[in-house]
Amino acid sequence: MPVLPGCPCPPDVIPYGRQSIDDDDVAAVVAVLRGDWLTQGPHVETFEAALVAATGARHAVAFANGTAALHAAALAAGLGPGHAVATSALTFVASANCARYVGSDLALVDVDPDTLNLDPTRVPAGCDALVAVHFAGLPVDLAALAARPPVVIEDAAHAIGASTPDGPVGNCARSEMCCFSFHPVKTVTTGEGGAVTTNSEVLAERLRVVRNHGIVRHPERGGWYYEVESPGFNLRLTDLQAALGTSQLSKLERFVTRRNALADRYRERLAGLPLVLPPAAPPGFRHAYHLFPVRVPDRRAVYDGLRDAGVAAQVHYVPLYRHPVLGRFDPADFPGTGRAYEGLLSLPLYPDLTEDEQDTVVEALAKLLG
Ligand SMILES: *Cc1c(COP(=O)(O)O)cnc(C)c1O
């Protein structure tokens, strides 16, 4: 069976990422399934409260997936045609699509090869919004922004459990909103799922309205009465998923600690090999290690060789300026991203990865690079 990017691997293949599901996660979902409420209901509220507790933000609004969370954040921020939205040139396409969905123009920012994050000194002056991606789980240093755009949305799909000198990622200390994904390769999962955190009551209310068709209720005109004042969508998370999320979130600290321990172990074991290790967290920052992206010579041969050895390493990401749908960009404008992309390869990293499996990865890599 071919191993497709993002698809579940056959059992004898070590994937680059996967979920950690225990019996208590299963029990949490089954309990909801036996109850009265399957779609968004009390378990979504409980999950949102757990996200508030984990991040320190005032509000959390759960969504059907991380892409929906980003789309809703762009709508809640009032972004639309005529606005310029900047994001990293090295990210998943969803970071940019949220701008495209609302008709805004896209500006791509080259990455700093030392952090693999967008270079905060290169965010174009005059852009209306920034989608700041915390690549691999290392937070962008938003304190270093040369000019702060009116709207800063964090794409923290990789970074739940990370922190900066301002506190946990998601507390929105330097942003209007922070978006998370709970896809199974991310640090906590709901199957599909996402959320936006914010400290603004106004933005939180807009996010809730966008999530539910744009419906605004007016009970003073009758219990049934509502009006739709803005175009909304059905972007709801189910209670089944939310119960899984609450159970998963209770293990966040363990998951991130384990990811950091495995990352340290990679650093020790790969130290002598001809490759570039991922940027480490600077003092005062905590890395969430969603990914462990090394840079290798002859990446194509190493990627294929690892697959032959049963290791499904992955490339994060094909730079956004290469996707025709996003418009025409000149690759020469992104020298940092181009240089990084040439060798990038994410090695397997997830809480249930065993040390034996990790050693298999290291040995296969050593043989290919030796
Ligand atoms: C996973 C991811 C998303 C999208 O999340 P989904 O839940 O898959 O929709 C957005 N941005 C980045 C950087 C991601 O890695």
Side-chain angles (χ1 to χ4, degrees):
M1 193 172 74
V3 181
L4 298 172
C7 286
C9 289
D12 53 338
V13 171
I14 303 173
Y16 84 87
R18 64 163 285 137
Q19 70 274 18
S20 295
I21 299 289
D22 299 330
D23 288 347
D24 59 336
D25 297 309
V26 174
V29 176
V30 170
V32 178
L33 205 44
R34 293 192 194 286
D36 293 328
W37 206 286
L38 300 185
T39 186
Q40 182 183 309
H43 289 281
V44 168
E45 278 180 32
T46 304
F47 180 45
E48 290 173 341
L51 284 166
V52 162
T55 59
R58 283 207 194 105
H59 310 277
V61 182
F63 284 92
N65 53 68
T67 305
L70 285 160
H71 183 189
L75 286 165
L79 296 172
H83 292 133
V85 179
T87 193
S88 173
L90 188 67
T91 181
F92 186 53
V93 68
S95 312
N97 272 346
C98 64
R100 310 275 301 180
Y101 294 154
V102 298
S104 294
D105 297 322
L106 184 64
L108 298 180
V109 185
D110 199 15
V111 301
D112 174 351
D114 289 340
T115 64
L116 299 175
N117 276 323
L118 64 86
D119 182 342
T121 66
R122 301 187 61 154
V123 174
C127 71
D128 299 287
L130 173 67
V131 177
V133 184
H134 304 309
F135 183 83
L138 178 63
V140 179
D141 187 1
L142 292 173
L145 277 178
R148 190 205 195 275
V151 175
V152 176
I153 297 169
E154 295 171 76
D155 180 345
H158 299 182
I160 196 161
S163 61
T164 75
D166 296 317
V169 165
N171 71 0
C172 301
R174 293 179 189 272
S175 69
E176 275 61 48
M177 288 172 275
C178 182
C179 301
F180 295 100
S181 164
F182 308 118
H183 180 281
V185 295
K186 309 291 164 71
T187 293
V188 303
T189 190
T190 59
E192 297 280 1
V196 183
T197 57
T198 182
N199 292 322
S200 158
E201 178 66 52
V202 171
L203 289 174
E205 190 49 32
R206 283 189 205 155
L207 290 164
R208 290 187 199 106
V209 170
V210 163
R211 172 174 71 176
N212 195 35
H213 307 278
I215 286 173
V216 179
R217 296 196 175 276
H218 295 277
E220 72 284 1
R221 298 200 207 166
W224 70 91
Y225 195 79
Y226 64 82
E227 288 181 3
V228 178
E229 296 164 15
S230 58
F233 299 88
N234 177 353
L235 305 178
R236 296 186 302 259
L237 189 73
T238 68
D239 255 25
L240 298 169
Q241 294 167 302
L244 176 56
T246 303
S247 178
Q248 286 269 298
L249 212 45
S250 71
K251 304 165 199 177
L252 176 62
E253 187 51 39
R254 169 156 71 77
F255 286 164
V256 176
T257 299
R258 174 70 178 157
R259 284 176 177 276
N260 271 271
L262 287 167
D264 288 346
R265 199 164 176 276
Y266 266 137
R267 286 183 189 284
E268 281 162 27
R269 280 164 206 243
L270 298 173
L273 297 181
L275 52 71
V276 180
L277 289 167
F285 287 70
R286 186 191 198 198
H287 204 314
Y289 283 109
H290 162 56
L291 300 174
F292 194 81
V294 296
R295 278 167 274 176
V296 295
D298 198 357
R299 188 253 315 271
R300 187 159 184 170
V302 175
Y303 173 96
D304 290 341
L306 286 175
R307 297 244 155 180
D308 291 343
V311 176
Q314 192 50 273
V315 177
H316 297 96
Y317 294 92
V318 175
L320 293 190
Y321 54 77
R322 287 179 175 250
H323 299 313
V325 73
L326 296 179
R328 279 177 193 278
F329 295 93
D330 183 354
D333 291 339
F334 308 96
T337 308
R339 239 180 305 129
Y341 170 64
E342 246 172 58
L344 271 177
L345 196 61
S346 302
L347 302 183
L349 182 62
Y350 45 91
D352 289 350
L353 183 73
T354 66
E355 297 189 349
D356 281 351
E357 287 168 331
Q358 192 180 29
D359 290 341
T360 301
V361 176
V362 171
E363 281 155 26
L365 201 51
K367 208 184 259 177
L368 290 161
L369 293 171

